[in-house]
Amino acid sequence: MKTSLEILHVSAECYPVAKAGGLGDVVGSLPRFQQELGHKARVVMPMYRTPYLYAHDWEVVHKSSSNLGHWWFDYTVIREKSNAQGFELFLLDINGLLDRDKVYGYDDDTERFCAFQIAVAHWMNSWDVLPNVVHVHDHHAALLPFIMQHAYAYKRLQYIPTILTIHNAQYQGAFGWEKTLYIPQWDSWKRGLLEWKGTINPLASGIKCAWKVTTVSNSYLGELRHMSNGLEPLFEYEKGKCSGILNGIDYKVWNPQNDKYLDEHFSLVDADAGKKKNKNIICDRFGLDPQKPLFIFIGRLVGEKGADLLPGMIVDSFKFIGRKMNFLVLGNGESETEHQLSQLNSIAKSDYNVYIGYNETLSHLMYAAADFIIMPSRVEPCGLNQLYAMRYGTIPVVRNTGGLRDTVIDMGETNGYGITFNNASVGDITHGIYRAVGIYNQKEIFRSIRQKIMELDFSWHRSAEEYVSLYQTFQ
Ligand code: ADP
Ligand code: GLC
């Protein structure tokens, strides 16, 4: 058995190069833990024009050209010279497609990510020594298993084991058969491996073709068989090759003792005082009352996260529980929710504020300052916010779903430490807030729960080993 593996991760995001959500965090940290386990982990991602690109030194490792249907393009692969992230990081550039400021949200995302995957296959095909495993993340990279196995030009790659990790099955990247030329020439008998419900569906194709499929928590895997945006029968059919591996968190980035985004650091021994200082900073900045418990929400303002329930929850909490708490929301997304949250400022009395936008620094300060984090997610494949929050002594108030179910035990249960509720409804969340305010006022209990959550171990070590064990089943 081979002991040291060469692993190539293919992803649209990788923190700190480019991050739109938790996918970036995972791909920015898992490879480093795999390196620490003695393997060689590499990441390849599109070369967006983000600040990281300009702040680091790069060398060109490969230049060539390939095609997306009839459109020929040149591509370049560069490598970060110092391995600053603890693993080899490659950026792949295609002028006109990948040279953008943002990761997603463009009309030509289908073309961008198809061309990216073709270029990755093309580049890999030129390697003298092929990787032992190609690990693809989400639909932006999920066509690669098909391309590697069935495109005539890449026959050399067909025996490389592939693993698909699904961070979010809501997004599948489907496009019409009129774009069939976007897939490098393939045996048309294999059409069924690309298709789902009349379209080319990259995520479905990845589930069919990857040697193994993982989801980022066990509970989420179970839920996908009943609710996966149309892929339910596929998850049922392919369940034999699917498993759940919970995400970890990167304590080098997420550690209240040395977090580079914080001015006031703290640890388990001085958590009360340290959090109080951060709370004062944030309450001062957002006009909130530091005497009251601070509830935060951080995330994409989309239905999946239950963000549309926040305005109702805030209004009802003030109405039924009283003005006994502060709410601070950080996020961006659906314009209606953004608008409603902004409008709420008109009823605030030093107890509510919102920051519409993406702000990494502010998010760290909020985890450090808050007493509670609210996550009313309708769907939560893993969820990292609750893990970061707990590390920073902030108690989670979460819906019982997906990764939230696997990481938060209600304080009413044996060894519990969070507050959970079952329905994504204003009533259920407001009841959770009512319970939280009660706990906040019982200082000893509150303090002991804070200590307990800060000590929980959600580090990557166990999960990184689980991935490696999975890879080893291929060798
Ligand atoms: P998802 O990937 O579905 O958005 P996760 O809980 O896995 O959810 O990860 C979200 C990540 O993105 C966390 O690191 C969180 O702090 C961060 N995040 C989300 N929205 C914002 C925002 N508006 N500003 C700063 N960080 C954000
Ligand atoms: C996705 C999920 C989130 C998960 C993240 C990282 O964006 O929505 O729950 O934590 O990926 O795996």
Side-chain angles (χ1 to χ4, degrees), residues 210-225:
W211 292 30
K212 292 275 181 198
V213 175
T214 64
T215 58
V216 288
S217 71
N218 250 322
S219 287
Y220 183 55
L221 178 58
E223 289 168 11
L224 286 173
R225 281 185 218 136

Side-chain angles (χ1 to χ4, degrees), residues 34 142-143 146 205 210 215 254 263 340 361 373 385 393 410 419 426:
Q34 296 180 327
L143 283 171
F146 179 89
S205 171
T215 58
W254 297 96
D263 289 330
Q340 286 179 3
T361 307
I373 187 165
N385 295 18
D410 190 276
I419 293 176
V426 168

